[in-house]
Amino acid sequence: MYYKSLISKKSFWFLLFFISLSSVFSQGNDLTLIKNRIYLNLINKKINFNNLEKVIKEFDGEKWPNIKYEDVSREGFDNRIHTSNMVKLAIAFKNPKSKYHNKKKLKEILDKALGFWCTNDFIGDNWWNNQIGTPTDLVHLMLLMGSELPKNLVVKSQEIISRANINEGGARPGGDRIKVSSIAAKNQLFLNNNSEFDKIIDIIENEIKFVEWTGRKYGYTHSKNNVGGFNEFSQANGRGLQYDNSFHHRTDGVNNTLSYGLSYSLAFIEWGYYTRNTTYAFSKEKINLLTDYYLDGVCKTAVYGKFPDFAAKNRSVSRKGSVKPYTTDAVERLLQISNYRSKELKEIMDLRNNTIQKPTVSHATFYWNSEHFSFQRPNFFSSVRMYSSRNMNMESPYNSEGILNHHRGDGANHIVTKGDEYYDISPVYDYMKIPGATIVQKEKLPNHNTIKKIGTMDFVGAVTDGKYGVVGFDFKSPHDPLVARKSWFFFEEEYVCLGAGISTKMKNEVNTTLNQSLLRGEVVVSAEGKIKTLKSGEQTLSDIDWIHHDNITYLFPKHQTIFIKNDIAKGSWWRISKQISSSKDTVEVAVFKTWINHGESPSDASYEYIVKPGALNEIDKQKTFNNIQILSNTPYLQAVKNTNLGIIQMVFYKAGEIKISKALKFKCHAPGIVMLKMNKNTIKEVSVSDPNRELTQISFSINHKINTEGKGFKTLWNEENSLSTFLVALPEGSFRGSTVKIKL
């Protein structure tokens, strides 16, 4: 018995050793597989060989003379071209399909170019170049060529790469931490340091998470001292993926979904793709969260999931091609990682490949932590950008980019049917006529150092049931003494724009711009039923019923005086960005611009217009006027009824009452935004939110008998005054400001 037991124990320990050894081999094989995947991805990057010929030809034996190496300023540091050139040369050297494959001349250039960089070790004034930009290029160079490069240069390169340190300030939570971690992980693969790679890949996976926006609880001022800095860099302080699927890169609460938030998602998708089907693969929970963010955050902030929403871009609008369509790379990788939400991903891929032209998905999405609303239909996309006391109006003009962006958060409302209506319009743009925004007209904008401002008003928000939505903005300009109450009502085929209480004491004109986009085709107007096509130029038109341009019609329920300019606009990229790479050459672009002039020092001015996409001959304008009923447009209540859909949308800036029809009255007992879905005079569904983010429940009354209750709500019937009062519990915590929907 003892002998058998001894053999049994030996067998047990041998089996345990064998399992452990198999695990080690398995991990080793997995690391080799991951490293090979990264290598193959690098060598297969597309290269413009005509440009590469020029790069080779211009190399002077140690550097490229056209680079201003001495300029390491935030606006300069085109030294990055040097490291980028080295990576391109290495790809051409390593790719078997390249005509430069294994060419001795290329290897000599690489050795000398790396030697020049390591000798000088250029440090830029912008920390990003030192901790992310340069280390990224050098770690890719190591993975491509490291074993073939001079050892002394590899050692020096390691010193430079190590500045991408996950324990230093650049690795702050949000968009930069994943980039720094990614560089560190790739470097450990190059060094074959398995234990360190294990730790870093763990950090990467655990960065896929929601963070609580501190502005929700304390208001923006709670975190203002940390804006842009590295204080408490290890604490999120609201930076990162928000519970509404938007993204904050800094503690200012500015929406960064299509900048840092996009690169955040792409970095995780990259590592999810590299580690798929290995022992390092991300968990199902993390992959699903990542996919949700990509589809519901990035793709729903994009036109048809393909073109970036121009309104959601920050200082990057001052870069050429900033709203070019997205590629399919990320989608293809997600589909290889998991089959979660694969149908939606495949549609995004088809849209980006132009296999299909229009999406099947319609949505109305509000990002309550970022005060951004997007709306999509198969034939058009629109959005509204706002800010409140919980966040700031716009990203700072870091590195002297986007220096005219003062008013781009002031209720910007863009409308597109194709996706490229604003493509590279930025250098000639009139930055005091932002689509949807109400702006005091000035001789020039203030200094760009004053762009970023704290919002002062609490009442900013929206209601959406996922398909339809209404947006309310209690607007008080942080730049000028200007106030307005602005709202947008989104239905199936059109949306309604209302403004009231527009007032300023400045001796300046105040304009509300309907649109400013690339001029494409004719501009047609109707004045008291008389239709004409406009010649190019600037003109004032009275008694206008509607305007049509580029598949969009702007209809006016009341005759309106309108200003239109359809002509060549001039500017330059240097005008909006003082980067060394910004061209000072004059750019000429044909632009369509139309606006309402509220006059000098307006007091309690207002506007009403309907935006309806579609070809001019397909729009029944009178039917639209009959279908859309503006019930109220005052500084206290803005409300619209769509008779065809049976939808009533209301923005109560204070408690109030409204007569919806002869038989139905509605009273809201507190400020709020409400949407009703009706079947004749019977309410079938109620959606409600608290834009002030103060209430735990909201109450409202109607003069019909309803005596029911459900999850999160109940009704009370008062026989004496013939009123049914609803008590609806509102979301708390990170979901304050989101919509509650109840069905009756």
Side-chain angles (χ1 to χ4, degrees):
M1 291 291 290
Y2 172 76
Y3 181 70
K4 286 182 180 178
S5 176
L6 187 63
I7 292 175
S8 176
K9 286 180 181 178
K10 284 182 177 179
S11 299
F12 170 76
W13 289 112
F14 177 77
L15 182 62
L16 190 64
F17 172 75
F18 179 77
I19 291 170
S20 300
L21 195 62
S22 298
S23 178
V24 170
F25 280 126
S26 175
Q27 282 187 313
N29 291 336
D30 283 346
L31 286 169
T32 302
L33 177 61
I34 293 167
K35 192 173 180 179
N36 286 339
R37 284 171 173 171
I38 296 172
Y39 177 80
L40 288 172
N41 181 63
L42 286 171
I43 67 166
N44 286 319
K45 286 187 180 295
K46 292 179 181 177
I47 297 175
N48 185 321
F49 283 104
N50 290 331
N51 288 346
L52 197 66
E53 292 272 10
K54 187 180 178 185
V55 167
I56 294 169
K57 186 177 179 180
E58 291 180 349
F59 187 72
D60 71 358
E62 60 176 5
K63 64 186 185 301
W64 285 272
N66 59 314
I67 297 174
K68 298 177 181 177
Y69 291 95
E70 70 283 357
D71 184 358
V72 295
S73 67
R74 296 180 70 89
E75 292 77 19
F77 206 79
D78 62 355
N79 309 43
R80 59 185 175 271
I81 298 170
H82 185 107
T83 56
S84 176
N85 283 346
M86 289 194 293
V87 175
K88 290 173 186 174
L89 291 169
I91 292 169
F93 182 80
K94 282 294 184 179
N95 191 328
K97 297 178 182 178
S98 164
K99 65 179 181 179
Y100 297 105
H101 180 56
N102 284 338
K103 294 293 184 184
K104 184 180 178 182
K105 182 182 178 182
L106 241 66
K107 176 64 168 53
E108 290 173 353
I109 292 174
L110 277 168
D111 287 351
K112 291 175 181 177
L114 181 58
F116 177 77
W117 189 273
C118 289
T119 299
N120 290 276
D121 192 8
F122 297 101
I123 301 293
D125 291 345
N126 184 352
W127 70 271
W128 187 93
N129 290 310
N130 311 320
Q131 297 182 42
I132 294 179
T134 300
T136 295
D137 282 343
L138 289 188
V139 80
H140 286 165
L141 184 62
M142 292 301 110
L143 288 166
L144 286 163
M145 299 285 300
S147 60
E148 300 175 53
L149 294 168
K151 288 184 179 179
N152 64 312
L153 297 183
V154 172
V155 171
K156 179 59 180 178
S157 295
Q158 280 301 307
E159 180 185 318
I160 298 170
I161 293 168
S162 67
R163 290 171 189 150
N165 189 331
I166 59 174
N167 297 311
E168 295 295 334
R172 55 189 172 184
D176 289 331
R177 186 168 179 78
I178 177 61
K179 294 174 189 172
V180 172
S181 299
S182 183
I183 296 164
K186 289 175 181 177
N187 197 41
Q188 297 313 315
L189 285 173
F190 167 70
L191 296 171
N192 295 314
N193 191 333
N194 298 1
S195 59
E196 283 302 307
F197 178 80
D198 290 354
K199 293 175 186 176
I200 296 168
I201 206 70
D202 226 25
I203 291 171
I204 290 174
E205 180 178 6
N206 287 314
E207 280 296 303
I208 309 174
K209 61 185 178 183
F210 290 121
V211 297
E212 181 179 327
W213 170 227
T214 52
R216 171 194 64 77
K217 188 172 181 181
Y218 300 105
Y220 168 74
T221 53
H222 173 72
S223 54
K224 69 180 180 181
N225 293 328
N226 291 333
V227 173
F230 294 141
N231 296 336
E232 301 177 7
F233 74 89
S234 61
Q235 303 298 315
N237 283 336
R239 295 177 296 213
L241 176 56
Q242 303 298 299
Y243 281 89
D244 61 2
N245 278 312
S246 65
F247 190 88
H248 294 171
H249 177 63
R250 299 182 178 86
T251 58
D252 51 20
V254 171
N255 187 6
N256 288 122
T257 301
L258 296 189
S259 51
Y260 295 98
L262 175 62
S263 57
Y264 167 95
S265 67
L266 296 181
F268 285 125
I269 291 170
E270 179 186 32
W271 281 105
Y273 175 75
Y274 289 151
T275 61
R276 72 192 188 282
N277 303 323
T278 71
T279 53
Y280 296 96
F282 293 167
S283 69
K284 181 180 178 181
E285 175 194 9
K286 297 293 188 180
I287 291 297
N288 290 356
L289 179 58
L290 176 60
T291 305
D292 286 340
Y293 170 61
Y294 191 76
L295 282 170
D296 297 332
V298 173
C299 292
K300 285 185 178 177
T301 313
V303 181
Y304 310 148
K306 179 179 179 179
F307 300 90
D309 175 8
F310 189 67
K313 302 291 281 185
N314 298 309
R315 60 194 166 100
S316 63
V317 295
S318 59
R319 302 170 193 164
K320 281 187 178 181
S322 68
V323 288
K324 66 183 178 184
Y326 294 127
T327 67
T328 60
D329 295 355
V331 184
E332 290 172 359
R333 287 179 169 184
L334 279 172
L335 285 168
Q336 291 191 56
I337 296 168
S338 162
N339 62 5
Y340 178 63
R341 298 182 70 175
S342 60
K343 184 179 178 182
E344 295 165 83
L345 287 167
K346 286 174 183 175
E347 176 162 305
I348 296 294
M349 188 160 69
D350 287 342
L351 286 163
R352 295 181 182 181
N353 278 329
N354 297 316
T355 307
I356 59 174
Q357 300 302 315
K358 300 293 183 181
T360 61
V361 176
S362 292
H363 71 82
T365 305
F366 181 53
Y367 302 100
W368 60 87
N369 280 337
S370 299
E371 316 291 18
H372 194 87
F373 177 89
S374 69
F375 186 80
Q376 179 177 286
R377 288 297 180 268
N379 64 329
F380 75 99
F381 175 94
S382 184
S383 65
V384 181
R385 178 170 184 158
M386 306 173 289
Y387 51 91
S388 67
S389 59
R390 297 171 289 274
N391 51 17
M392 298 189 84
N393 62 334
M394 180 56 61
E395 182 184 40
S396 287
Y398 297 106
N399 309 321
S400 300
E401 292 183 295
I403 59 176
L404 301 180
N405 282 351
H406 300 69
H407 297 291
R408 289 190 55 245
D410 294 2
N413 170 223
H414 293 75
I415 169 71
V416 297
T417 61
K418 294 180 285 295
D420 61 351
E421 283 85 342
Y422 306 98
Y423 190 83
D424 279 355
I425 196 174
S426 299
V428 303
Y429 215 53
D430 181 345
Y431 286 87
M432 279 187 276
K433 288 188 173 63
I434 306 298
T438 302
I439 300 171
V440 174
Q441 302 301 293
K442 303 168 278 287
E443 286 188 13
K444 66 177 183 177
L445 289 164
N447 187 282
H448 62 268
N449 291 327
T450 68
I451 287 177
K452 182 184 276 191
K453 297 284 187 181
I454 304 168
T456 58
M457 308 306 286
D458 294 340
F459 191 102
V460 180
V463 154
T464 170
D465 64 352
K467 189 173 182 182
Y468 305 103
V470 49
V471 182
F473 188 19
D474 186 2
F475 174 61
K476 183 176 182 181
S477 172
H479 292 291
D480 306 304
L482 171 71
V483 296
R485 297 276 169 82
K486 299 169 67 70
S487 55
W488 296 262
F489 304 80
F490 290 86
F491 301 112
E492 191 65 41
E493 299 175 348
E494 67 280 295
Y495 63 91
V496 183
C497 308
L498 300 182
I502 301 168
S503 305
T504 183
K505 291 184 178 180
M506 289 181 70
K507 301 298 181 183
N508 298 57
E509 290 182 354
V510 174
N511 293 171
T512 296
T513 301
L514 282 66
N515 206 352
Q516 180 184 186
S517 62
L518 297 175
L519 177 63
R520 288 171 171 168
E522 297 179 334
V523 179
V524 183
V525 301
S526 170
E528 295 186 317
K530 296 179 181 179
I531 300 172
K532 68 174 181 177
T533 300
L534 300 183
K535 295 180 180 179
S536 62
E538 183 172 348
Q539 47 207 304
T540 305
L541 304 168
S542 302
D543 297 319
I544 296 297
D545 309 308
W546 52 261
I547 304 167
H548 181 88
H549 168 255
D550 195 22
N551 222 34
I552 305 290
T553 301
Y554 310 86
L555 302 106
F556 305 97
K558 301 174 184 176
H559 288 174
Q560 179 71 58
T561 297
I562 287 294
F563 295 75
I564 294 177
K565 186 173 184 180
N566 54 324
D567 209 345
I568 297 296
K570 297 181 180 181
S572 71
W573 291 100
W574 176 258
R575 169 178 172 250
I576 54 175
S577 171
K578 303 307 179 187
Q579 286 280 299
I580 193 172
S581 57
S582 297
S583 172
K584 295 181 180 179
D585 295 343
T586 298
V587 175
E588 295 187 4
V589 179
V591 172
F592 164 75
K593 184 167 54 177
T594 182
W595 66 95
I596 298 169
N597 186 343
H598 302 292
E600 291 184 5
S601 307
S603 178
D604 207 23
S606 63
Y607 63 81
E608 300 175 0
Y609 62 93
I610 303 166
V611 180
K612 194 172 182 73
L616 183 58
N617 61 351
E618 295 174 356
I619 296 174
D620 188 333
K621 301 164 196 68
Q622 192 55 51
K623 184 179 178 181
T624 301
F625 283 131
N626 294 339
N627 179 46
I628 299 295
Q629 297 179 16
I630 296 172
L631 302 177
S632 177
N633 184 22
T634 73
Y636 309 108
L637 171 60
Q638 293 170 319
V640 175
K641 180 179 182 180
N642 185 307
T643 57
N644 186 45
L645 294 174
I647 292 177
I648 297 102
Q649 298 177 343
M650 300 167 284
V651 180
F652 291 90
Y653 294 97
K654 61 182 290 187
E657 183 175 289
I658 185 170
K659 188 175 182 179
I660 293 172
S661 66
K662 290 181 180 179
L664 187 63
K665 291 181 181 179
F666 184 94
K667 183 176 183 179
C668 197
H669 302 149
I673 302 179
V674 183
M675 177 165 64
L676 306 179
K677 286 187 177 178
M678 310 288 295
N679 182 1
K680 296 182 179 179
N681 281 322
T682 303
I683 299 175
K684 293 296 183 182
E685 188 174 289
V686 181
S687 298
V688 62
S689 75
D690 169 26
N692 288 314
R693 326 288 164 98
E694 294 175 340
L695 305 174
T696 56
Q697 70 172 17
I698 192 168
S699 65
F700 48 86
S701 303
I702 61 170
N703 61 335
H704 276 210
K705 185 175 182 178
I706 299 176
N707 197 359
T708 185
E709 62 180 76
K711 186 178 180 181
F713 80 96
K714 63 181 179 179
T715 62
L716 304 171
W717 169 248
N718 187 313
E719 192 76 45
E720 187 176 334
N721 56 18
S722 299
L723 286 177
S724 293
T725 299
F726 285 71
L727 298 174
V728 181
L730 292 169
E732 297 188 24
S734 296
F735 293 87
R736 281 186 182 272
S738 63
T739 298
V740 173
K741 182 170 73 173
I742 60 175
K743 291 187 176 182
L744 303 178

